[in-house]
Amino acid sequence: YHSAKISAFSRMCLDSRVALVVVGFPATGLFLTRARICISAAHTQEDLDFALDVISQYGEMCGFRYFGKQADQGLIQPPC
């Protein structure tokens, strides 16, 4: 775990025109830093696909995607 990774992730996403808010300590636990993404009814399917691609790319680069390739292949199913 390295807390600077979430800040780098946020900056890389913003450079690619995807805005998100990072939340860390003391608003979260010391090791529970997270990124919040706001979706609006005004976003198109293309907007969402673009954002997902950017988040997946940089999430993989920063080491945030635990099941990245398996999820991309549909091998990981969300809980019911």
Side-chain angles (χ1 to χ4, degrees), residues 4-36:
K5 283 185 177 183
I6 196 74
S7 297
F9 173 70
S10 175
R11 282 192 303 274
M12 289 187 289
C13 288
L14 188 58
D15 289 343
S16 295
R17 303 188 63 201
V18 174
L20 48 88
V21 177
V22 295
V23 182
F25 183 80
T28 67
L30 188 58
F31 299 108
L32 298 176
T33 303
R34 67 189 76 158
R36 292 186 178 164

Side-chain angles (χ1 to χ4, degrees), residues 40-60:
S40 165
H43 288 111
T44 64
Q45 184 65 46
E46 292 78 23
D47 293 335
L48 299 176
D49 290 340
F50 175 76
L52 185 58
D53 289 342
V54 168
I55 291 166
S56 294
Q57 175 188 355
Y58 293 130
E60 183 84 31

